[in-house]
Amino acid sequence: MAAIVVQEVGVLDSERELLDVRNPADGRVVGRVPNEGPKVVADAVTALRAAQTAWEALGPKGRGVWLGKLRDWLLDNESRLTDVLQSETVKPRAEAALEVPFICDVINYYARNAPAFLADEKVRASGPMSLPKRLRTVYRPYPVVGVITPWNFPLAMPGLDIVPALLAGAAVALKPSEVTPLSAVELATGWAEIGAPPVLRVLTGAGATGAAVVDTVDYIQFTGSTRTGRQVARAAADRLVPCGLELGGKDPAIVLADADLEHAAAGVAWGGLFNAGQVCFSVERVYVEAPVYDQFVARLTAVVESLRQGADGRGYRVDVGALANQAQRDIVERHVTEAVQAGARVLTGGKPTGAGTFFEPTVLVDVDHSMSCVREETFGPTIPVIKVADEDEAVRLANDTEYGLSASVWTRDRARGERIARRLDVGAVNINDALFNLFALTLPHGGWKSSGIGARLGGARGIRKYTRMQAITAPRGPELQEQILWYPYRPGRGRVVSRMLRAMVARDLRRRFRR
Ligand code: NDP
């Protein structure tokens, strides 16, 4: 790596345990962060709660101004932030450099649209009972949103959730993965440097810090494994606070006989190996129709063999980086070893390489649905390929999983691709592309089945999810103050008016029913 950033973060005292952050390629310590305990978390959330009221009062336009300043700070510091991100992930520069622009895109989209997305909604009366009232639905933020993120996109992943949450008017407690907290700490540094109100706090630490966040906030937005997601859902249920869960995946790609095979091979390789396969939406299994199976496998293998792996800092000479940590490399190695022991063949790759946590980009064939590389989330640079007789078998096998995040269909016939998409039990389908839906902020990004609950992004829904709907009713005018439901609690004139209104409503209800 050309630029490793070594930094100590936070105010440390002798009582507080520090966590080392290591570069996965060479194991060097590149930073240290405090392992915040429940008391620090609770105090931080109390302070956030206190600051949130003024933040909400700023309104979406006022909050958008602060997010715009954060965007400018991110762009001014882009190169340094990318260095920090690479130091804790060893991503190739081309991949690491995507994260700052990605957050800025999220800021621009939601800051521009927040006033419209959060505007009060005039609601029409449902019938004569509610006719005398002016009705409004108002979007009010959850006071403190807890955002818990994994290690695969240390800047983009927090950005995806904290931006709409802040713009909604919530304060945010962000708990990044202990494996890659330095980029998130940079976000908090930027927020402080622009002089923004104290409504964003980064709480570093291990799993227990995340659990403490879950125990104190008003809404939890969790991204991570299905196993931890279940724990978070249980804890949220105990407190009766809502949660959004973005969990694991085992995304299938279906390559049909009419596909442009060169395009499909490149796209499947990219979808499987981008970020060394550590993307929830990674292509993790490929089903190819029999007539083109041999041709497709040959092309895919050639593409994968041509990729360059390693760490070269600010250079753009490598395509595939390392895995985030040793535990992740062990999972990948186990999946490949078990597959080979059960009869699978490795066409390229198949083993750890170099120092640290690199694992060769791998193509596996002769795999089946009993193997861990097809059943479990691998989250690594492996592409298992399975031959299928036809579209029906591909759809059946693609749906044969507990997960339901996304899928891709490769075909020259768009209508056929869209028809197949509607048969797949997943939250997103890309035709002739992979991962793409994540870049369309107007589309929802969420998993079905064990891949999650709810969705992020998706236009207005992506910001309204951090709000509670409040119903406000008011009389349309002074003459409509009287209420039929109050009868017989109002003496005198009220009683008469209530009776008249009841009679009118009854007549109107009969008339409407007859229509
Ligand atoms: P984990 O579930 O292990 O961790 C996710 C986050 O939760 C980390 O910050 C972790 O802290 C924290 N955490 C751990 N225990 C608890 C707890 N009891 N309560 C609250 N928080 C806790 O996932 P990984 O970090 O290993 O990330 C990989 C997973 O994330 C994969 O399954 C992947 O598919 C999924 N993912 C899903 C995405 C989606 O949008 N659907 C996007 C990206 C990834 P610590 O790291 O310190 O233990």
Side-chain angles (χ1 to χ4, degrees):
M1 291 290 293
I4 302 290
V5 177
V6 180
Q7 58 179 22
E8 296 233 331
V9 187
V11 182
L12 308 175
D13 60 49
S14 54
E15 304 286 296
R16 258 150 121 198
E17 185 199 350
L18 292 179
L19 296 174
D20 288 343
V21 182
R22 292 182 185 277
N23 176 292
D26 54 25
R28 267 184 301 158
V29 174
V30 292
R32 288 195 178 86
V33 293
N35 188 8
E36 307 288 21
K39 170 87 172 69
V40 174
V41 172
D43 290 349
V45 171
T46 303
L48 287 169
R49 217 179 277 292
Q52 184 269 336
T53 316
W55 180 244
E56 180 181 353
L58 276 181
K61 272 197 183 140
R63 297 191 289 271
V65 170
W66 286 111
L67 269 298
K69 288 184 185 187
L70 180 68
R71 175 204 53 219
D72 293 347
W73 183 90
L74 287 164
L75 291 172
D76 290 345
N77 291 276
E78 185 174 3
S79 178
R80 190 180 58 74
L81 292 171
T82 308
D83 291 344
V84 173
L85 197 149
Q86 280 187 292
S87 77
E88 57 184 353
T89 60
V90 192
K91 287 179 193 241
R93 190 74 175 180
E95 292 182 352
L98 283 175
E99 300 207 20
V100 168
F102 184 69
I103 303 186
C104 294
D105 195 28
V106 177
I107 292 176
N108 281 347
Y109 173 69
Y110 273 110
R112 193 170 60 240
N113 289 295
F117 289 163
L118 297 173
D120 295 357
E121 281 177 354
K122 286 186 195 168
V123 181
R124 289 163 66 114
S126 53
M129 296 278 280
S130 49
L131 258 183
K133 300 289 186 188
R134 180 181 182 269
L135 310 175
R136 292 281 182 279
T137 303
V138 171
Y139 294 97
R140 299 276 314 284
Y142 287 98
V144 183
V145 170
V147 172
I148 301 175
T149 53
W151 36 255
N152 55 347
F153 293 96
L155 268 181
M157 198 53 74
L160 265 178
D161 296 321
I162 68 169
V163 169
L166 286 169
L167 280 165
V172 174
L174 167 63
K175 152 66 179 90
S177 167
E178 69 192 282
V179 180
T180 57
L182 302 180
S183 301
V185 169
E186 289 290 343
L187 273 178
T189 305
W191 191 250
E193 274 186 20
I194 60 171
V199 288
L200 172 64
R201 178 73 196 266
V202 173
L203 293 157
T204 53
T209 310
V213 169
V214 172
D215 283 344
T216 45
V217 296
D218 308 304
Y219 183 104
I220 301 142
Q221 179 58 32
F222 173 85
T223 307
S225 63
T226 298
R227 185 178 48 79
T228 313
R230 287 201 166 97
Q231 291 174 23
V232 168
R234 277 192 287 268
D238 268 351
R239 295 188 54 232
L240 283 180
V241 295
C243 60
L245 303 175
E246 299 289 346
L247 309 177
K250 190 73 193 170
D251 292 0
I254 296 176
V255 180
L256 299 169
D258 66 356
D260 174 340
L261 292 186
E262 204 163 316
H263 178 80
V268 164
W270 180 73
L273 302 175
F274 176 67
N275 204 33
Q278 302 166 112
V279 187
C280 49
F281 280 72
S282 281
V283 172
E284 291 236 350
R285 348 171 238 149
V286 187
Y287 302 97
V288 188
E289 279 193 308
V292 293
Y293 175 83
D294 290 336
Q295 252 180 301
F296 174 80
V297 166
R299 283 177 200 234
L300 175 69
T301 307
V303 174
V304 174
E305 272 171 351
S306 73
L307 298 171
R308 303 156 301 174
Q309 190 170 31
D312 73 342
R314 289 181 169 179
Y316 279 79
R317 291 176 303 274
V318 297
D319 310 301
V320 182
L323 292 159
N325 53 35
Q326 196 60 44
Q328 197 54 42
R329 207 199 71 175
D330 292 347
I331 293 172
V332 178
E333 192 169 8
R334 175 172 66 79
H335 284 186
V336 173
T337 307
E338 287 176 359
V340 170
Q341 282 167 354
R345 279 184 302 133
V346 172
L347 295 188
T348 182
K351 55 185 187 309
T353 177
T357 58
F358 289 98
F359 195 94
E360 292 173 346
T362 300
V363 176
L364 282 167
V365 291
D366 299 340
V367 294
D368 64 48
H369 268 234
S370 68
M371 297 178 184
S372 53
C373 70
V374 176
R375 299 223 71 83
E376 298 170 22
E377 185 182 44
T378 306
F379 227 55
T382 57
I383 308 180
V385 191
I386 295 177
K387 189 194 291 186
V388 291
D390 53 25
E391 172 185 320
D392 287 341
E393 187 182 14
V395 169
R396 184 175 58 75
L397 291 176
N399 285 335
D400 176 23
T401 172
E402 68 163 310
Y403 296 109
L405 206 45
S406 88
S408 59
V409 181
W410 304 81
T411 173
R412 282 196 171 89
D413 180 345
R414 199 180 67 195
R416 188 182 180 201
E418 293 199 9
R419 204 179 60 237
I420 291 174
R422 286 166 174 77
R423 297 175 65 194
L424 294 169
D425 300 333
V426 293
V429 180
N430 294 294
I431 295 165
N432 293 334
D433 206 343
L435 317 178
F436 183 78
N437 59 295
L438 185 54
F439 297 91
L441 309 181
T442 42
L443 284 175
H445 169 219
W448 295 6
K449 296 159 53 178
S450 296
S451 289
I453 295 178
R456 57 162 67 92
L457 304 178
R461 278 173 296 218
I463 189 164
R464 287 183 187 160
K465 68 182 276 188
Y466 296 113
T467 66
R468 299 161 294 182
M469 285 186 289
Q470 188 172 49
I472 299 184
T473 79
R476 277 189 194 280
E479 69 285 1
L480 292 168
Q481 291 283 15
E482 309 296 347
Q483 240 300 355
I484 52 168
L485 300 177
W486 293 4
Y487 173 82
Y489 292 83
R490 284 287 299 265
R493 180 177 160 272
R495 206 170 258 234
V496 175
V497 176
S498 286
R499 274 200 201 136
M500 277 167 51
L501 282 171
R502 277 168 73 101
M504 280 163 59
V505 165
R507 215 172 31 243
D508 199 43
L509 282 171
R510 271 198 207 95
R511 211 182 60 230
R512 278 166 199 255
F513 182 72
R514 276 195 217 103
R515 257 194 228 145

